[in-house]
Amino acid sequence: MPLKIGVIGTGMIGEDHIRRLTQVLSGAEVVAVTDVDAARAKVVAARIGARQHESGEALIADANVEAVVIASWGRTHSAYVLAALDAEKPIFCEKPLATSVEDCLAIVKAEAALGRRLVQVGFMRRFDASYMAMQRLVAEGRIGAPLMFHSVHRNVSVPASYIPAMILDDTCVHDIDISRWLLADEVAAVTVKSARRNSKGRPDLADPTLVLLEMAQGGLVDIEISVQIGYGYDIRGEVVGETGTVTLATGQPVDLRSAGAVSGHVPEDWRERFIGAYDEEFRHWLTAAAAGGATGPSCWDGYAATLVTTAAARSRASGKTQAIALVQKPALYA
Ligand SMILES: NC(=O)c1ccc[n+]([C@@H]2O[C@H](COP(=O)([O-])OP(=O)(O)OC[C@H]3O[C@@H](n4cnc5c(N)ncnc54)[C@H](O)[C@@H]3O)[C@@H](O)[C@H]2O)c1
């Protein structure tokens, strides 16, 4: 029997997840959708034969919905996660888990009180073949102890709904999560600097941004975030260890040599670059959710990432390094 899923938010990624749940993966049926943009949800509901709800709360309460995908704007996630936890339904929540530390902690507390994991957070880089190979090599000690990680995150452009705070809490949050995962460490301090502004971009965005993470075991991470780079969606990474380095593959199947030049393809957006990773994270989620649980990136990971993005926002405002202190980790996430 396929798992009956309700999707909250039928925007760019909500639509893409509905496509993979209905056309790519097996074991899922999207039975309900909702969006504050009711016209948008109506089109999707009609296309896939799902019920349209007037709110996320109504969708979660629908007895026919066995598991919930949350793909609305980040600042709306926490209320839906808490409601779905209350209904004890498995949840896939797009990143960020929540945009405030308090909301993340309320979720961690609610899930820990249940005593079992129900939430998987959409940090899909952990399911990308290239990042997985990098993590495995680092964990096996193939480059000695990891000392530094260089991370580059470049977007072609951002939509009008993208507000300045999203540079840190919506975009950089991926690099923060992958840094914690690759280095198997927590962030102890963060410093943020804005570079000379990209004059080709929106005047309200301090873009590009450089973020420095100081890890608890002494490693350093530098992250470049450029959200209006124009030329393509470019994700790069290199871990520097004591005896070697591991660099992410740039992901193109061929090099073109023509007219005295070598050229290759740069992905257009995250859908293209991470298509395999999104499929894989949902394969894992479907298996765990069908068994009434969750796997992969947890609420703890969501909390740790938001703790860093909120400290990063303070660093950007003050120009000063911000120290980071995590609460005691509940046994559920050990
Ligand atoms: N994992 C990734 O790589 C990745 C990539 C893109 C987006 N995202 C995340 O997915 C989420 C959505 O991003 P998007 O790019 O699809 O944005 P989007 O603006 O294209 O879509 C969001 C949709 O949510 C709807 N919405 C807003 N508030 C709502 C609410 N309270 N209830 C129901 N619907 C609501 C909007 O009307 C819109 O249709 C964000 O949290 C974003 O960070 C993750």
Side-chain angles (χ1 to χ4, degrees), residues 8-14 17 34-37 40 56 70-74 76-77 80 94-96 122-124 161 166 170 174 233 270 274 278 281:
I8 300 174
T10 54
M12 270 195 296
I13 203 153
H17 289 335
T34 188
D35 196 298
V36 284
D37 183 343
R40 194 167 194 174
I70 301 169
S72 49
W73 293 324
T76 71
H77 292 178
Y80 296 137
E94 257 312 337
K95 43 63 46 171
F123 289 127
M124 80 298 176
S161 57
M166 289 167 81
D170 208 81
H174 276 301
Y233 180 74
W270 37 270
F274 286 112
Y278 292 119
E281 72 172 349

Side-chain angles (χ1 to χ4, degrees), residues 14 109 142 175 268 309 313 321:
K109 201 171 155 195
R142 296 282 290 277
D175 304 82
E268 199 179 321
T309 60
T321 299

Side-chain angles (χ1 to χ4, degrees), residues 65-136:
V65 169
E66 296 171 327
V68 180
V69 171
I70 301 169
S72 49
W73 293 324
R75 53 190 179 277
T76 71
H77 292 178
S78 61
Y80 296 137
V81 175
L82 286 169
L85 278 175
D86 198 41
E88 297 197 29
K89 296 188 178 181
I91 302 147
F92 177 89
C93 179
E94 257 312 337
K95 43 63 46 171
L97 175 64
T99 49
S100 82
V101 174
E102 294 69 30
D103 286 346
C104 287
L105 282 174
I107 293 168
V108 164
K109 201 171 155 195
E111 195 182 42
L114 274 176
R116 64 193 171 107
R117 280 196 55 196
L118 278 181
V119 184
Q120 179 175 328
V121 181
F123 289 127
M124 80 298 176
R125 290 187 182 189
R126 296 187 185 204
F127 298 93
D128 174 70
S130 195
Y131 275 115
M132 284 168 75
M134 182 180 244
Q135 190 271 345
R136 202 165 43 244

